[in-house]
Amino acid sequence: QVHIVEFGGGLVQPGGSLRLSCAASGSITKIYAMGWYRQAPGKQRELVARITSGGSTTYADSVRGRFTISGDNAKTSVYLQMSSLKPGDTAVYYCYVAATQGYWGQGTQVTVSS
């Protein structure tokens, strides 16, 4: 059984910062990459940022320069440091783990509002 646990969402004012964390545990043989996706109401789920087991990172154009993705040495946790948040960043953020199959977290709400 695989467990994907996310935490760190919440309400923040525009210009503020939040840090999301995601930890994977259980029967996962090898993780190739971990990432964060987000889905706003009425919109499709989209990639926010991704990091491979080798440390290569990918960012959506809309967050590049504001968000930073990182992982731990064990390659089972991933973090998303979000800065200069905008109302357009409001969404449910999902952690994704790419292993021999893909796993999704339950999602954590991020709301950027004054």
Side-chain angles (χ1 to χ4, degrees):
Q1 193 171 2
V2 173
H3 299 279
I4 310 295
V5 179
E6 305 148 332
F7 43 94
L11 172 64
V12 64
Q13 292 188 341
S17 299
L18 278 177
R19 178 179 165 91
L20 304 183
S21 301
C22 170
S25 62
S27 304
I28 301 179
T29 305
K30 179 174 174 60
I31 295 176
Y32 298 100
M34 298 181 74
W36 291 93
Y37 287 72
R38 67 186 181 187
Q39 187 166 19
K43 295 187 177 181
Q44 289 187 331
R45 192 171 295 189
E46 62 176 2
L47 173 69
V48 176
R50 179 176 181 267
I51 185 168
T52 69
S53 60
S56 297
T57 56
T58 302
Y59 293 94
D61 289 342
S62 59
V63 308
R64 188 176 292 112
R66 299 188 297 121
F67 292 9
T68 302
I69 191 169
S70 60
D72 69 341
N73 289 336
K75 307 286 193 295
T76 58
S77 294
V78 65
Y79 312 97
L80 187 68
Q81 180 65 46
M82 304 184 293
S83 302
S84 302
L85 283 160
K86 306 174 181 179
D89 296 317
T90 296
V92 178
Y93 284 69
Y94 296 91
C95 178
Y96 179 75
V97 177
T100 51
Q101 65 183 81
Y103 301 95
W104 290 96
Q106 78 282 1
T108 184
Q109 177 70 46
V110 171
T111 302
V112 184
S113 175
S114 55

